Amino acid sequence: MYAILDIETTGGKFNEEGITEIAIYRFDGHEVTDQFISLVNPEREIQPFVVNLTGINAKMLKNAPKFYEVAKRIVEITEDCIIVAHNSSFDYRILKTEFKRLGFPFKRKTLCTVELSQQLIPNMPSYSLGKLTRALGIPMSDRHRASGDAIATVKLFKMLLSKDLDKVIVKDAIKVEQKSKIAPNLKEIIEQLPSETGVYYIYNADGDIIYIGKSKNIRKRIVQHFTGKNSKSKKIQRLVSSVTYEKTGSELAALLKESAEIKANKPIFNRALRRTIFTHALYQSIDENGYINLFIDKSSRDDTPITTFNTRGSGKQFMFKAAESFNLCQKLTDLYDTKTSCFKYEVKECDGACINEEPVDTYNEKVQALIDKYSYAKKDMLIIDKGRTIEEKSVFLIENGVFKGMGYFDLNHQIHNRAILKSLITPMENNRDTQHIIQSYMRRNKRLKIKELR
C-alpha cells in the first residue's frame, strides 16, 4: 500500500518551514482507496515568493486547521504505507519536522518518483514534476497546489509501476506488508477468545502468567501477539500455553485492571508497565504580574500536577487544544517562546495576557475553568461508563479526589444510595498510575457521564 502525497510550505529557513497545504492519496497499486486534502494554518509567516508561486496566502489559512488537528488523520492514512512523493526527501523531512514539534516520532518507508523516473524513464530533458508529466502526456491541473501535484504524482507512479518489469517497486512494498502465518496451536487459542473489551492473561506451560494486556478487541490483540515479528512477540509465541480473559465492557475498567494486575503479578514480559506509566505532567505557577502560567514538565517534580501525560508530545498536543478551547495565551501556556506578545495576539485571537492587557482576574478564571475540568482533586464523583452487557453500566468511585474502586450496576437507584453503591464497589489501590489512567480517559472521552456526589 502506498501513500502518495504532496506538501506546500511557508518557505523560509531549513527546518523552520510550516505546512500550508497537504494532499494524500492512499493507493493500492491499482486505484485510490482513500484521500485527505486540507489547507493547514502554519502559525508562521508565508514567504512572499511562495504566495506568488502557490497562490496560498495568510487570509486563506486563518480558519484552516492547525497541524496538530490534522496529525491523527495523517498518521491513519499513511499507516502501513510506503510514502511516495516527487522529491520525497523534502516532503518526508517536512512531515517529520511537524510531528517532532508535537513530540511524536513519525517514521515511514519512502519512495521518490524523481529517482524512480530517472531509473525507469532515462534520458528525459527534465525530471521536474511539471515538465516530466507534460513530456509523458500526463494531464495536470492546479500546479503548485498540493492536490494537483499529488494527483499528477499518482498518475506518474501508475506509469512507473507498469514500466517496472523487474518489479523492484512491488518487491519493496511486499517487504513492508508481508503478514505472518499463525501456528496451528495458536489458532486453537484464538478461536476461544471474544472480540470484546477486557483484560487478557497469557500463561506458559507451568501455569505462570507471562503477559497481561488489555484491548477493546481481545481476539484481535492476541492475533497481533501471535503474528508479531518483534522480539517480545516471538518469545510469547514460543512460550504460550493458554490464554484466559476477563470482559470489562468499559475500556477504563480494562486499563485500571491491567495496571493493578501487572503490579500484583509482575509478568516477565510486562516490565515497562511495572514502572510509572507517565513521564510528563501539567503544572501551574503564578508569574510576577499575577497571571496563572501553565507548563508541561517531567512528572518527577514535587509539585502536585493538574493532569499527567504519557509523553511530552501528548502533553503539548493537549495544551494546543486546551489553549484554543479556553482562549488562553500561548505565551502563558508555554507554547510560544517570546519576550513580547504571542502569535495569537498578532492575529487577534489572544486577549493580551502576554503583554498585561487582559485583566488578571478574567484570564485566571479561564485557566481555573481548565483546571477544574481536567483535575478531580478534592471532588466526590462517579464516572459511569459501558458495562459488560447492554443493560449494565460500569461505575468508578472518587471520594475527596481519591479513587476508591469500581463495580457494575444495572439499576439507577443502586448508585443513588451510598450504602448500596459502596457494596457494589470492588476496592482498588489509588496511586499515581490510576490517577493518570482516569484523567487521560476523561480527556479522551468527552461524552463520559460524570455524576457529582452530594
Side-chain angles (χ1 to χ4, degrees), residues 44-107:
R44 63 197 67 216
E45 186 183 356
I46 309 173
Q47 298 297 309
F49 81 90
V50 175
V51 176
N52 292 332
L53 182 69
T54 65
I56 299 171
N57 57 47
K59 189 176 180 181
M60 291 169 62
L61 301 179
K62 185 178 179 182
N63 295 317
K66 317 294 193 294
F67 183 78
Y68 74 84
E69 294 176 288
V70 299
K72 183 180 179 184
R73 178 69 173 124
I74 292 169
V75 169
E76 289 171 348
I77 199 170
T78 62
E79 194 167 14
D80 300 324
C81 285
I82 296 172
I83 284 180
V84 179
H86 207 69
N87 188 14
S88 61
S89 60
F90 170 79
D91 296 81
Y92 186 49
R93 175 180 67 79
I94 296 294
L95 269 180
K96 287 202 297 182
T97 300
E98 289 281 18
F99 276 102
K100 188 176 180 181
R101 287 171 187 152
L102 295 179
F104 288 95
F106 181 80
K107 192 173 182 182

Side-chain angles (χ1 to χ4, degrees), residues 10-247:
T10 56
K13 293 181 182 178
F14 185 82
N15 276 359
E16 290 184 11
E17 312 100 313
I19 292 176
T20 57
E21 188 176 36
I22 185 166
I24 306 173
Y25 293 90
R26 193 173 172 100
F27 180 67
D28 64 3
H30 306 284
E31 60 184 5
V32 171
T33 60
D34 194 6
Q35 67 182 53
F36 174 68
I37 304 161
S38 181
L39 290 169
V40 179
N41 185 339
E43 300 187 89
R44 63 197 67 216
E45 186 183 356
I46 309 173
Q47 298 297 309
F49 81 90
V50 175
V51 176
N52 292 332
L53 182 69
T54 65
I56 299 171
N57 57 47
K59 189 176 180 181
M60 291 169 62
L61 301 179
K62 185 178 179 182
N63 295 317
K66 317 294 193 294
F67 183 78
Y68 74 84
E69 294 176 288
V70 299
K72 183 180 179 184
R73 178 69 173 124
I74 292 169
V75 169
E76 289 171 348
I77 199 170
T78 62
E79 194 167 14
D80 300 324
C81 285
I82 296 172
I83 284 180
V84 179
H86 207 69
N87 188 14
S88 61
S89 60
F90 170 79
D91 296 81
Y92 186 49
R93 175 180 67 79
I94 296 294
L95 269 180
K96 287 202 297 182
T97 300
E98 289 281 18
F99 276 102
K100 188 176 180 181
R101 287 171 187 152
L102 295 179
F104 288 95
F106 181 80
K107 192 173 182 182
R108 299 287 187 269
K109 208 168 183 181
T110 62
L111 279 174
C112 178
T113 50
V114 175
E115 295 172 7
L116 289 171
S117 299
Q118 290 169 340
Q119 182 182 342
L120 298 169
I121 316 173
N123 305 317
M124 297 298 289
S126 172
Y127 288 94
S128 74
L129 185 60
K131 291 179 181 177
L132 182 60
T133 51
R134 196 178 309 122
L136 296 171
I138 295 171
M140 187 173 191
S141 61
D142 290 334
R143 181 76 177 106
H144 297 303
R145 290 297 299 268
S147 181
D149 287 3
I151 277 289
T153 306
V154 170
K155 293 170 182 174
L156 173 61
F157 188 61
K158 269 187 180 180
M159 183 180 289
L160 292 170
L161 281 172
S162 67
K163 288 180 177 292
D164 183 23
L165 300 178
D166 295 328
K167 299 297 177 225
V168 173
I169 300 172
V170 175
K171 285 176 185 173
D172 210 28
I174 287 170
K175 287 178 191 171
V176 174
E177 296 179 0
Q178 195 171 38
K179 297 268 168 55
S180 304
K181 291 182 178 176
I182 302 176
N185 65 311
L186 302 183
K187 278 186 180 177
E188 290 177 18
I189 292 173
I190 290 166
E191 285 169 6
Q192 309 301 316
L193 301 174
S195 299
E196 295 178 46
T197 301
V199 180
Y200 57 88
Y201 308 80
I202 300 177
Y203 297 80
N204 64 15
D206 295 327
D208 301 320
I209 300 174
I210 58 173
Y211 188 80
I212 295 172
K214 73 90 201 168
S215 178
K216 289 193 281 187
N217 185 327
I218 293 171
R219 181 194 291 250
K220 185 177 179 181
R221 186 71 188 98
I222 293 296
V223 168
Q224 290 170 343
H225 284 305
F226 289 177
T227 58
K229 287 291 188 182
N230 59 46
S231 173
K232 184 173 79 175
S233 291
K234 287 181 178 178
K235 287 174 183 174
I236 287 174
Q237 291 160 27
R238 194 168 62 248
L239 294 174
V240 61
S241 175
S242 63
V243 177
T244 63
Y245 61 88
E246 181 181 347
K247 294 181 191 177

Side-chain angles (χ1 to χ4, degrees), residues 288-303:
E288 65 273 15
N289 298 308
Y291 290 99
I292 301 174
N293 285 216
L294 300 175
F295 59 96
I296 305 293
D297 201 359
K298 290 183 178 176
S299 59
S300 52
R301 294 170 63 100
D302 291 333
D303 305 341

Side-chain angles (χ1 to χ4, degrees), residues 326-345:
F326 290 87
N327 192 23
L328 302 182
C329 173
Q330 286 188 329
K331 179 181 176 181
L332 302 191
T333 49
D334 199 30
L335 298 174
Y336 194 80
D337 187 15
T338 177
K339 297 269 194 286
T340 56
S341 59
C342 71
F343 173 81
K344 291 241 181 191
Y345 181 79

Side-chain angles (χ1 to χ4, degrees), residues 381-385 393-397 407-425 449-454:
M381 66 183 196
L382 299 177
I383 301 170
I384 299 169
D385 202 8
K393 299 286 184 188
S394 55
V395 59
F396 306 84
L397 175 62
Y408 294 93
F409 71 96
D410 50 21
L411 297 171
N412 280 332
H413 80 267
Q414 292 175 299
I415 59 168
H416 295 145
N417 183 306
R418 279 267 185 147
I420 297 175
L421 173 63
K422 292 216 169 182
S423 71
L424 297 175
I425 295 295
K449 185 175 179 182
I450 308 294
K451 177 180 169 56
E452 290 191 14
L453 294 173
R454 305 193 188 285

